[in-house]
Every structure is written in structure tokens, then in C-alpha cells.
Amino acid sequence: MMVFLRRTLLLRYLLLSTGLALLLFLTSFWLPQGEQRDCGSVWQPCLTYYIQTPLAPPILDERAGSDEAPPLVKECPGQTFQARKLLQFLRSSLAEDGEDVLLEPYLLSWDQLLNFMESLGTMVSFFSQKVREKTELIRQLSLKRSSESQAAGSSGLRTGAYRSVRSMVEAELQAGMVSFSRRTDSGCRTLLRLHRSLLWLKLMLEGLSEGPDAEGRFKTPGELSRDAYKVALAPHHPWMLRQAAEIVFLALPDREYFLQLVCVQKQEEATPVLRIIIHTLSVVHTRTQRLLAKYNMLELP
């Protein structure tokens, strides 16, 4: 019996190791590696405009509520991911016009989502590294655009940097940076990849907010992540990467661990907290979807 258990554990370890190696190999083709530097508490390079000028409280969609995180969403001491900060950044990203998404608070939201992903273990952290590179690339492109605008005599950083999703899309189309037939390191193509990943996380959180099924069983986080992945990301990934993702889902912690990340102990406490976050995620995702669709960018290669 002991020999059988040891063989089973060894087999599982080998499967996870093989899957991790495959995942690293495949994701190395997504985006070039970028050097990471500190900029306060977030990734460098930062958007200079947003460092120098505090964000004004936006007028939000009625569905999103106040720009302040409600008391129900608590600060959770001792952990890097903070649901309260995530909600604040998401709400700050909603522009006053009711249509656009401000880019820097959107990226700050992703910094918190990266903390969330990296809290789930080594297997997920290797996947999240590729997401971090995407936020880094958009910030680098924004700074480059800002420098070029200043050199050309532009009247300030507000017109130079990618202030919002719309301004980035229009600037890159005008500059000929976006290709509809081949892969480029444009901000638009990179944002589309983040947009798909945001849908994956939103769908997974929706699953975590739900109660048990008719038989009284809760789906595991691995099952929820797999279901969300099939909708949001799998249609855009090659077969080998889809197989590697399956290994990641097997390595996810249990539901109780996820509840602790949003600073609650029971499912009854988690459901209203998660629904508040999901609500705002949906508003941000819907706005981004509409903007990308308007410029025919939902299927960039």
C-alpha cells in the first residue's frame, strides 16, 4: 500500500513538473521579456502624468456605485492582494464620459490582480509573469509616446501619454502601429490580451460567488478556472498551451483559500463581497469591449 501511494505521489509530481516546464516553454513565445524595476509600490515604468497628477473622482455608471470601496470590502492585513484596492482602482478607471477607460488606474487594477494570481502558488505565478509583461509593455509604449510628443513640441504629457483606452487606440492607428494581419507589439494588441484575461478572472470570480449545486456540492476553484478558461482564453490558444493550462488548474488551492484572499471565512460572507467586485469588473470589461469593437480590434492577430 505504501509503495502504491509513493508511486501515485511521484507520478503527480512528475506530471506537475512536466506541465510547468511545458508552460514555461510555451509562454516564452508570447511577449519578449522585459526588465522590471521598482516605481514606488507598482511596476516600472510608470505613466509620469498619473504620478504627478492625482486622479479626479470619476462619475461612474449607475451599476458601479460610489468611487469609494464599500465597508463590506475590507482591507486584509498581511497579504499583497487587497480586494479593496482592486475595487478602488477599477472604479477610478471609469471615465466621466460613461464610455472610456482611463489607462493608468486600469493598469493599477491589474497590479492587484497580479497579486491575486501570484498568491495562488508557483504554477500560476509563472503564467502571471506574462500578464505582468503586458502591463509593462503598455506603460513603456506610453512613456515612449510621451517623450516623442514632447520632442515634437507637444503641449504637455496629457496629450502625449496614453491617457485612456480610446486615446491609445486612436494614437496607434494614426501612427500606423496596429496591424490587422500580423503580430505587433502595439498597445492595442497587448490590451486585447489583457482584456481576454480579465474576462477569465471575472468568470472565475462569478463561479466562486455562487452557492452549491442541486446536490449541495461546490465546484472547486480548479473546475471554475477551467470553465472560465474554455470561454475566455482557450479559443485563442494553441492546443499545447491549452494542455499546459490544465496542469495549472490541478494545482490551484481549495475554495477556503480563495475566501481568505477577500478577507472572509464563509461562503455566505464571500458572495456579497465578490458580487461587488464582479459588478465593477463587468462595467470595465464592457466599456473596453465596446471600444475595441468600435475599431474592429477584437480579433487582432
Side-chain angles (χ1 to χ4, degrees), residues 7 47 76 82 86 91 94 98 106 114 125 138-139 152 162 167 180 183 188 199 210 213 230 248 256 262 267 295 300:
R7 288 179 179 176
L47 301 187
C76 204
Q82 295 292 338
L86 169 62
R91 290 181 167 181
L94 299 172
Y106 174 84
L114 281 164
S125 68
I138 292 178
R139 284 176 167 135
Y162 294 157
S167 67
F180 292 88
R183 295 184 178 184
C188 293
L199 177 59
E210 295 173 355
D213 59 20
K230 288 179 180 178
V248 174
E256 287 68 26
V262 293
Q267 181 66 40
Y295 295 94
L300 287 178

Side-chain angles (χ1 to χ4, degrees), residues 15 24 27 36-37 39 47 78 126 251 273 287-288 297 300:
L15 286 172
L24 285 172
T27 53
Q36 296 175 6
R37 299 179 293 273
C39 175
L47 301 187
F126 282 106
V273 172
R287 287 194 185 189
T288 308
M297 291 189 173
L300 287 178

Side-chain angles (χ1 to χ4, degrees), residues 125-199:
S125 68
F126 282 106
F127 172 76
S128 66
Q129 179 184 352
K130 312 314 297 183
V131 177
R132 184 184 303 185
E133 288 172 6
K134 291 173 173 60
T135 63
E136 178 91 358
L137 178 59
I138 292 178
R139 284 176 167 135
Q140 289 174 347
L141 290 171
S142 181
L143 285 181
K144 180 180 179 182
R145 172 75 176 178
S146 176
S147 299
E148 291 172 350
S149 297
Q150 290 185 76
S154 177
S155 58
L157 291 171
R158 180 183 291 270
T159 56
Y162 294 157
R163 184 173 183 271
S164 68
V165 171
R166 181 190 288 117
S167 67
M168 180 180 70
V169 170
E170 292 177 348
E172 290 197 341
L173 283 174
Q174 185 177 6
M177 295 175 61
V178 182
S179 173
F180 292 88
S181 59
R182 60 182 177 84
R183 295 184 178 184
T184 62
D185 287 338
S186 66
C188 293
R189 178 181 181 273
T190 305
L191 177 70
L192 176 60
R193 270 60 187 174
L194 290 176
H195 178 63
R196 292 169 178 169
S197 295
L198 189 67
L199 177 59

Side-chain angles (χ1 to χ4, degrees), residues 57-129:
I59 299 174
L60 306 178
D61 299 51
E62 291 182 359
R63 293 177 297 171
S66 168
D67 61 311
E68 293 295 330
L72 190 62
V73 184
K74 303 175 183 176
E75 193 82 15
C76 204
Q79 63 182 42
T80 55
F81 170 69
Q82 295 292 338
R84 190 173 181 84
K85 286 185 178 180
L86 169 62
L87 188 59
Q88 289 173 335
F89 289 139
L90 286 170
R91 290 181 167 181
S92 295
S93 73
L94 299 172
E96 296 181 2
D97 63 1
E99 299 179 357
D100 208 353
V101 176
L102 301 178
L103 203 53
E104 178 59 10
Y106 174 84
L107 294 176
L108 290 172
S109 303
W110 265 110
D111 289 339
Q112 279 299 312
L113 288 169
L114 281 164
N115 289 340
F116 172 78
M117 295 169 68
E118 290 172 351
S119 298
L120 304 180
T122 304
M123 294 289 285
V124 180
S125 68
F126 282 106
F127 172 76
S128 66
Q129 179 184 352

Side-chain angles (χ1 to χ4, degrees), residues 198-232:
L198 189 67
L199 177 59
W200 170 55
L201 287 168
K202 183 180 83 74
L203 293 175
M204 183 177 68
L205 292 176
E206 286 178 351
L208 286 170
S209 71
E210 295 173 355
D213 59 20
E215 298 178 355
R217 177 183 175 274
F218 286 96
K219 280 192 172 183
T220 68
E223 291 171 327
L224 295 172
S225 297
R226 182 182 295 107
D227 293 344
Y229 177 82
K230 288 179 180 178
V231 173

Side-chain angles (χ1 to χ4, degrees), residues 231-248:
V231 173
L233 294 172
H236 311 286
H237 285 174
W239 179 85
M240 291 183 67
L241 188 54
R242 295 198 299 270
Q243 301 310 304
E246 289 291 331
I247 305 298
V248 174

